[in-house]
């Protein structure tokens, strides 16, 4: 089955740029989606189809996808960005949705 | 704005069947898939499966749960449901319902708030 790997945690200083990687075999050939989950809340879609922001998501959130790594980038990080971030793809081989293990972003 | 709300028992006995319902409001169920996703305490997200608004044979399940899962839809009441049989403590999780957008890929653009289901005697 297809697997997505994410680091358990990423730290960034306020105002700096955070980059959260999501690794997968030839992930560049898949559409990657990203979710933000604040503590005690449901996940929220922040990027879909590799690099598209849903309405209402700040421009500080961007993403890219190439080769074996997709990356979520959060510029000018704020305390309010502290959350868990999950990448997700659709695996055509198994006909199933796959989530990465999630990355805890800390802004300090 | 589409809203989803889960409902069902918060406590299920081991070996029994977990049953949850998701009520959709603020929009039509047509042309979308409707999904269940769960999250064990302190862990990551796990997709359970989803079903097309017209039910029939248009559904997909997580292969690891397929033998125990049934998802059904009732568009007349704007609801869809999850049945998970033969539950164990490992099925304890927050269960989310979500709207799935499928067009060559799948993502989830609207989520319910989630409901905690504990499996315990």
């Amino acid at each position: 089955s297809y697997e997505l790997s994410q680091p358990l945690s990423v730290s960034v200083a306020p105002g700096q740029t955070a980059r959260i990687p999501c690794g997968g075999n030839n992930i560049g050939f898949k559409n990657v989606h990203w979710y933000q989950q604040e503590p005690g809340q449901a996940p929220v879609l922040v990027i879909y189809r590799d690099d598209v922001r849903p309405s209402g998501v700040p421009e500080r959130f961007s993403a890219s996808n190439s080769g074996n790594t997709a990356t979520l980038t959060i510029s000018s990080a704020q305390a309010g960005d502290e959350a868990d971030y999950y990448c997700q793809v659709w695996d055509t081989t198994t006909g199933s949705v796959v989530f990465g293990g999630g990355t805890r972003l800390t802004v300090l | 704005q589409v809203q989803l709300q889960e409902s069902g028992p918060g406590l299920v006995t081991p070996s029994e069947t977990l049953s949850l319902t998701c009520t959709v409001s603020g929009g039509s169920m047509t042309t979308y898939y409707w999904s269940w996703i769960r999250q064990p305490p302190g862990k990551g997200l796990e997709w359970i499966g989803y079903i097309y608004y017209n039910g029939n044979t248009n559904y997909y399940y997580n292969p690891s749960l397929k033998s125990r899962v049934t998802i059904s839809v009732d568009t007349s009441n704007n609801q869809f449901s999850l049945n998970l049989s033969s539950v164990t403590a490992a099925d304890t999780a927050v269960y989310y319902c979500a709207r799935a957008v499928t067009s060559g890929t799948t993502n989830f653009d609207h989520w319910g708030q989630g409901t905690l289901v504990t499996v315990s005697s």
Side-chain angles (χ1 to χ4, degrees), chain A residues 2-7 21-24 27 34 68-70 87 99-103:
Chain A
Y2 194 79
E3 295 184 354
L4 296 173
S5 60
Q6 296 184 242
C22 173
I27 195 174
W34 291 91
N68 293 315
T69 305
C87 56
F99 285 100
T103 297

Side-chain angles (χ1 to χ4, degrees), chain A residues 76-102:
Chain A
S76 303
Q78 306 171 357
D81 297 330
E82 287 201 332
D84 293 328
Y85 291 86
Y86 293 89
C87 56
Q88 176 251 307
V89 301
W90 169 257
D91 179 23
T92 54
T93 301
T94 58
S96 60
V97 170
V98 179
F99 285 100

Side-chain angles (χ1 to χ4, degrees), chain A residues 59-84:
Chain A
E59 292 184 7
R60 300 185 298 104
F61 288 78
S62 63
S64 62
N65 183 21
S66 179
N68 293 315
T69 305
T71 303
L72 175 68
T73 301
I74 305 171
S75 60
S76 303
Q78 306 171 357
D81 297 330
E82 287 201 332
D84 293 328

Side-chain angles (χ1 to χ4, degrees), chain B residues 47-60:
Chain B
W47 175 70
I48 298 171
Y50 57 52
I51 190 168
Y52 197 42
Y53 78 97
N54 66 358
N56 297 329
T57 59
N58 294 316
Y59 55 84
Y60 296 82

Side-chain angles (χ1 to χ4, degrees), chain A residues 31-33 35 37 40-45 48-49 84 86 88-90 92 94-102, chain B residues 35 37 39 43-47 50 60-63 96 101-114:
Chain A
N31 288 299
V32 180
H33 319 289
Y35 302 86
Q37 185 179 33
Q41 302 297 312
V44 174
L45 181 68
Y48 65 98
R49 289 185 173 273
D84 293 328
Y86 293 89
Q88 176 251 307
V89 301
W90 169 257
T92 54
T94 58
S96 60
V97 170
V98 179
F99 285 100
Chain B
S35 185
I37 296 159
Q39 185 172 36
K43 297 187 178 181
L45 301 169
E46 180 181 32
W47 175 70
Y50 57 52
Y60 296 82
Y61 296 152
N62 185 326
Y96 296 99
V101 178
T102 61
S103 179
T105 181
T106 297
N107 63 72
F108 305 99
D109 66 345
H110 288 82
W111 296 63
Q113 65 185 25

